[in-house]
Amino acid sequence: MEKDVVEFVRDELALQGDESVRESGKRFFKEETKSYGVKTSVVTKIAKSSFRELKGLDKNTILALCEELWKSGYMEESFIACHWAYALREMFIPDDFVIFEGWVEHYVSNWASCDTLCNHTVGAFVEMYPEYLENLKGWAKSEGRWMRRAAAVSLIIPARSGLFLEDIFEIADTLLLDQDDLVQKGYGWMLKAASQAHQREVYDYVMSKKAVMPRTSLRYAIEKMPKELRAKAMAK
């Protein structure tokens, strides 16, 4: 029965695939991506309808099915895996972290899959188990670009709620001089999210680092701030 749901998902994605959607989607990525060419809104519908078919299965079985989807390398399958995993968030236990970490390390291959997994599933996990912030700080030192971006984007939603400010600054410090533009954008986005609850603290942080912070990160970090603060931060 479990395998039937995975096959159903793949059949639906193949059926809904559109060459024009696949081609237009390529412009958002520098790296090669595998895609069926299905619009995100349609993928979400497939994710919801297929998850209903998993009712009654235990969490570990569903997470194993998520891994099957990740292994395909198709972006839409990764989105569905992320939806299923996030739907289980009330059942997360500390041991689940190693599963999510493995997905980032072995399967994430573009910013969209990275952000879909980390904004929701990993972010929810870290809110439940803040001791794993130390693991995210380890990700920030990884050689893998997606691990480094994941360290930052996992904290977007907690940051908007005002959580983990000191940890956010610590991760930003680690990533400060990163040469990868997608990592720069990731930690800039994290700082922007934190500024919604802690505008003054984030502004002061940015001003203290502006001499060395990449302009990409700086622009992202101050995007939600008042015009006069943005002007001061951007001034040479």
Side-chain angles (χ1 to χ4, degrees):
M1 176 246 183
E2 299 98 81
K3 293 289 184 185
D4 291 347
V5 180
V6 171
E7 289 308 313
F8 165 78
V9 163
R10 288 175 172 160
D11 289 346
E12 279 295 299
L13 291 171
L15 190 65
Q16 299 287 346
D18 184 320
E19 183 62 29
S20 65
V21 173
R22 180 162 60 233
E23 284 303 312
S24 67
K26 286 181 180 177
R27 71 182 188 273
F28 296 108
F29 303 94
K30 292 178 183 175
E31 59 280 334
E32 278 291 311
T33 55
K34 275 177 76 175
S35 169
Y36 289 93
V38 181
K39 290 182 178 177
T40 304
S41 59
V42 178
V43 176
T44 302
K45 285 179 185 172
I46 295 171
K48 288 179 177 176
S49 64
S50 57
F51 188 75
R52 287 194 288 271
E53 298 302 314
L54 300 175
K55 289 286 169 66
L57 295 180
D58 66 88
K59 183 189 67 178
N60 288 342
T61 300
I62 297 173
L63 291 177
L65 294 176
C66 292
E67 185 130 357
E68 280 297 307
L69 293 172
W70 275 108
K71 284 177 181 175
S72 75
Y74 278 96
M75 198 182 319
E76 294 93 341
E77 291 192 35
S78 79
F79 293 166
I80 289 172
C82 293
H83 178 94
W84 289 359
Y86 184 63
L88 300 169
R89 62 193 176 278
E90 292 181 4
M91 292 185 274
F92 288 169
I93 60 171
D95 286 352
D96 294 330
F97 185 81
V98 71
I99 296 172
F100 306 144
E101 184 173 57
W103 293 352
V104 178
E105 189 170 8
H106 300 300
Y107 304 127
V108 166
S109 59
N110 59 77
W111 62 260
S113 294
C114 181
D115 298 358
T116 305
L117 172 62
C118 294
N119 284 177
H120 303 290
T121 300
V122 181
F125 179 92
V126 173
E127 281 199 46
M128 290 173 77
Y129 304 105
E131 60 270 27
Y132 282 85
L133 285 162
E134 293 307 311
N135 298 70
L136 295 192
K137 291 170 190 175
W139 291 7
K141 297 171 183 172
S142 170
E143 291 183 8
R145 71 189 306 202
W146 304 121
M147 294 290 283
R148 300 199 307 279
R149 182 177 171 98
V153 300
S154 293
L155 295 179
I156 299 296
I157 292 175
R160 287 176 186 156
S161 302
L163 298 175
F164 310 141
L165 185 64
E166 291 310 312
D167 304 287
I168 284 165
F169 287 152
E170 197 174 324
I171 287 170
D173 280 346
T174 301
L175 299 175
L176 187 65
L177 303 179
D178 203 293
Q179 296 300 299
D180 190 306
D181 71 316
L182 287 172
V183 178
Q184 293 171 7
K185 290 173 182 176
Y187 88 76
W189 182 20
M190 173 182 68
L191 291 170
K192 174 172 66 178
S195 77
Q196 292 178 233
H198 297 289
Q199 180 179 284
R200 173 51 60 179
E201 293 93 331
V202 173
Y203 177 74
D204 289 346
Y205 177 85
V206 168
M207 293 302 282
S208 74
K209 307 291 185 183
K210 67 175 281 189
V212 294
M213 182 183 282
R215 300 293 276 184
T216 297
S217 304
L218 194 152
R219 278 194 297 270
Y220 267 73
I222 63 174
E223 193 178 335
K224 294 279 187 184
M225 293 186 186
K227 187 176 180 181
E228 63 274 13
L229 293 185
R230 294 202 311 271
K232 283 182 188 174
M234 292 300 290
K236 293 288 187 184

